[in-house]
Amino acid sequence: MAEFGRADRRASGERFPRLVGGTDVAAPTAPSLAAELSLEHMDALTPDWRDLSRRALEPNAFYEPGFALSAARHCPAAERPRFIVVRDGAGRLTGVFPIVAPNPLFGDGLIRLWLHKQAALATPLVDRDCAPETIEAFLVWVEAREKSAGVLFARMPTNGRFHQALQRVVAGRAVDVLDSYERAALLPGGAADALGPRAGATKKLAEIRRQARRLGEMGRVTFETHDSEAEIKAAAEEFLALEASGWKAWRGALLSQPALATFLRSATRLLARENGCKIQSLRLDGRPIAMAIVLESQGRSYLWKIAFDESLRAQAPGIQLVYAHTKAALDGGDLDYVDSCAIANHPMIDRIWPDRIGVCDVAVSLGTRRHDAFRASCRRANARRQAREMAKRLANRLLKRKVS
């Protein structure tokens, strides 16, 4: 595969090539250069990718190589993302943009930033020192290469630094916010016992304490954090078994889907090597009764997955685990915030964590001649999203599914 940013061309002052579909073409005068790389090339790029994660304007654990590569490898081939990367004139990686094309049968004409079914964010990683140039290089590449009417930047923090940079870059382009909602978050400051009253759930806090006493009467209760690679490997197996023992065994348990179970094992192990993952457990006489997988990036944490022993539902082990996690996170002192990764208005976490972070989906048009097509695409995307939500609510009601 041809390279870009070659040292000999930098020395001679020759313009760097830009890869488009595997073909070298003359680069624009802009210092940032975009190219599409295969999954295999992204694997080889892992050290540079990890370095970019540490320099990212907006952290996103779900786009770090440990998670993203594991997820992409275990996706069906038709669902795998295409990786658009951006480098600066010195050849340093400044942006990673995984994208998926519109479905030709049901698509709305919008290229999307890839949102894996197990991910809670799709904020691309861009270098904080050259974010506008990197975002612009990506948009220029897509505009020249794709026939889509626009790009959908999905699931990014509404008030995050990436969203702010994007707003500056897209001035003059048509923009539409397709979705926006808030979900629970744990912000620094204060004590865990003060959160319940702030959320208007004083009675809930009293109930948590009562359930904790009942649980303590049954045996020795301990809260443990597993963060070494060996501990993560063993704890991941415990988590999979615990999740599959409950109601999710019939709907969504990772262990019931071999590809997803392998993905979880791989992602947690790889992230653990970079101190990007820990698994916490609440144990009763040494037996796990609730477990949580927590991802970490640049001081932010993501309460990614929770499982609990449903035979102890009366003692609420899952809530007890979240409460223990809350105290540990607040006592740590270096917290930016913890993203609950939950749906809006979650019946459990919203009563424990009163603070919220906004999450939004923003569509950006490609080319001034495509504005009409872009508006039509946005209308179709909104209509399809509303239809999906209505169908999901109806199915949950008819099947009496639990919200999680």
Side-chain angles (χ1 to χ4, degrees), residues 63 71 80 173 200 208 211 286 292 328 346:
Y63 269 12
R80 287 178 184 166
R173 298 175 184 267
I208 290 173
Q211 291 167 328
H346 193 281

Side-chain angles (χ1 to χ4, degrees), residues 218-222 283-287:
M218 300 174 66
R220 180 171 175 264
V221 179
T222 57
R283 295 175 180 267
L284 180 63
D285 292 331
R287 175 175 63 90

Side-chain angles (χ1 to χ4, degrees), residues 282-315:
L282 192 71
R283 295 175 180 267
L284 180 63
D285 292 331
R287 175 175 63 90
I289 57 173
M291 302 187 77
I293 302 177
V294 182
L295 308 185
E296 298 182 330
S297 180
Q298 287 193 47
R300 292 187 188 175
S301 294
Y302 307 85
L303 192 58
W304 181 38
K305 288 194 171 294
I306 296 178
F308 63 91
D309 186 338
E310 293 200 24
S311 69
L312 298 172
R313 178 177 288 275
Q315 289 72 39

Side-chain angles (χ1 to χ4, degrees), residues 94-112:
T94 65
V96 173
F97 298 81
I99 62 171
V100 290
N103 186 302
L105 296 179
F106 308 105
D108 47 37
L110 298 174
I111 289 285
R112 283 170 161 73

Side-chain angles (χ1 to χ4, degrees), residues 222-303:
T222 57
F223 172 70
E224 301 178 8
T225 297
H226 317 277
D227 51 16
S228 72
E229 189 175 350
E231 291 173 338
I232 291 289
K233 183 177 180 180
E237 296 303 321
E238 289 183 310
F239 178 91
L240 288 167
L242 184 61
E243 186 193 48
S245 69
W247 64 273
K248 284 189 177 181
W250 308 105
R251 186 173 71 89
L254 294 167
L255 199 57
S256 67
Q257 304 174 63
L260 285 180
T262 303
F263 148 67
L264 182 137
R265 294 178 176 117
S266 173
T268 53
R269 186 175 67 253
L270 291 173
L271 287 169
R273 292 177 186 174
E274 302 296 322
N275 298 317
C277 174
K278 61 187 176 186
I279 298 180
Q280 295 176 326
S281 61
L282 192 71
R283 295 175 180 267
L284 180 63
D285 292 331
R287 175 175 63 90
I289 57 173
M291 302 187 77
I293 302 177
V294 182
L295 308 185
E296 298 182 330
S297 180
Q298 287 193 47
R300 292 187 188 175
S301 294
Y302 307 85
L303 192 58

